[in-house]
Amino acid sequence: MKTFITKYRNYICIIATVLIAAVMTAGIVHARGEALGVKMDRLQNKLAGEVFRFHVLANSNEEKDQELKLKVRDEVIAYMKSEIPDSSSVKETKQWAREHLDKIEEISGKVIEREGFDYPVQAKVCWCDFPDKSYGDIIFPAGRYEALRIEIGAAKGHNWWCVLYPDLCFTSAVNAVVTDDGKEELKSVLDEEEYEMVTEPSKFKIKWFFFG
């Protein structure tokens, strides 16, 4: 009988130990997850002040409207790449966009008319909510960013994003590779850990979670 009681007590102790370990592990996981979330929020806030994004909204999700969206995108990007000085800072790029909204609307309107549509178009610089988004091998966390926004017609269709500053705009998904110059611009405003968070997020999360 005593042997049975001893075994029972040992069994209870083992279960209790396992439960305590599980609770402690869950607590650590939760705490590390919250700490990582804080880091990502800080990164997003910092990026929001260092980048300028580009956002084009189609009239609808119909194929013809989606194709039109991409044609407007191509024309506007071509114009901006030829006109924005290479040495511009993020502040100067935003200011340039604000000063050329009428021209951007004019170019967009000509594309819309050329393609046989009569949609109105509006260009503006505003703060927009973006989901997690990858640009080549760089991933920006979800959050609010300032962007040049072009709204075509009802602006109810799927949209398209890129980053005007630093230059991470791709018109072809096949060649969506961030240039060395674009990466260097990001490196100049981010520290080593932050840069790893946007270029190798999975690797960073694993390393940080286990090694802090």
Side-chain angles (χ1 to χ4, degrees):
M1 186 68 175
K2 289 183 179 180
T3 301
F4 172 77
I5 294 174
T6 299
K7 288 183 177 180
Y8 181 75
R9 286 175 177 172
N10 290 340
Y11 179 69
I12 294 299
C13 287
I14 292 172
I15 292 176
T17 300
V18 171
L19 289 175
I20 291 171
V23 170
M24 291 180 64
T25 300
I28 292 172
V29 170
H30 179 71
R32 298 295 283 178
E34 286 192 336
L36 181 59
V38 170
K39 275 184 172 287
M40 294 304 293
D41 287 343
R42 288 175 179 169
L43 171 64
Q44 190 278 320
N45 288 332
K46 185 172 183 177
L47 280 171
E50 301 292 350
V51 304
F52 185 44
R53 300 176 76 159
F54 182 33
H55 196 193
V56 184
L57 285 78
N59 177 66
S60 75
N61 287 329
E62 292 186 24
E63 185 176 354
K64 61 183 179 63
D65 285 339
Q66 289 296 310
E67 290 176 352
L68 177 63
K69 172 193 70 178
L70 299 180
K71 290 176 180 178
V72 169
R73 172 204 69 181
D74 291 348
E75 293 281 350
V76 172
I77 287 179
Y79 165 66
M80 291 190 293
K81 284 184 178 292
S82 67
E83 296 296 326
I84 299 177
D86 292 337
S87 59
S88 294
S89 65
V90 63
K91 182 178 180 180
E92 291 167 336
T93 302
K94 291 177 180 180
Q95 186 59 35
W96 183 95
R98 291 188 182 96
E99 293 173 353
H100 292 79
L101 292 175
D102 288 345
K103 182 63 176 179
I104 291 169
E105 287 183 355
E106 178 187 336
I107 292 171
S108 301
K110 286 181 177 179
V111 175
I112 293 169
E113 183 179 359
R114 183 189 71 204
E115 297 300 318
F117 298 91
D118 60 356
Y119 300 139
V121 62
Q122 181 181 21
K124 57 187 175 181
V125 173
C126 59
W127 287 89
C128 307
D129 292 315
F130 289 86
D132 288 331
K133 183 66 179 176
S134 62
Y135 299 95
D137 53 354
I138 291 177
I139 297 179
F140 282 3
R144 289 181 65 78
Y145 295 85
E146 199 165 13
L148 169 61
R149 180 183 175 106
I150 297 178
E151 298 178 353
I152 303 172
K156 299 295 186 181
H158 291 314
N159 44 58
W160 180 89
W161 304 276
C162 79
V163 177
L164 288 178
Y165 185 92
D167 182 11
L168 307 180
C169 280
F170 312 115
T171 55
S172 170
V174 176
N175 298 314
V177 178
V178 177
T179 65
D180 290 338
D181 288 343
K183 289 181 178 179
E184 287 302 319
E185 288 177 355
L186 272 180
K187 282 183 180 179
S188 70
V189 298
L190 301 177
D191 61 33
E192 184 176 346
E193 181 180 74
E194 291 167 339
Y195 185 72
E196 184 180 7
M197 289 169 73
V198 298
T199 55
E200 299 180 279
S202 297
K203 178 181 176 182
F204 168 79
K205 288 177 182 178
I206 293 171
K207 183 177 72 173
W208 188 86
F209 185 85
F210 287 104
F211 301 106

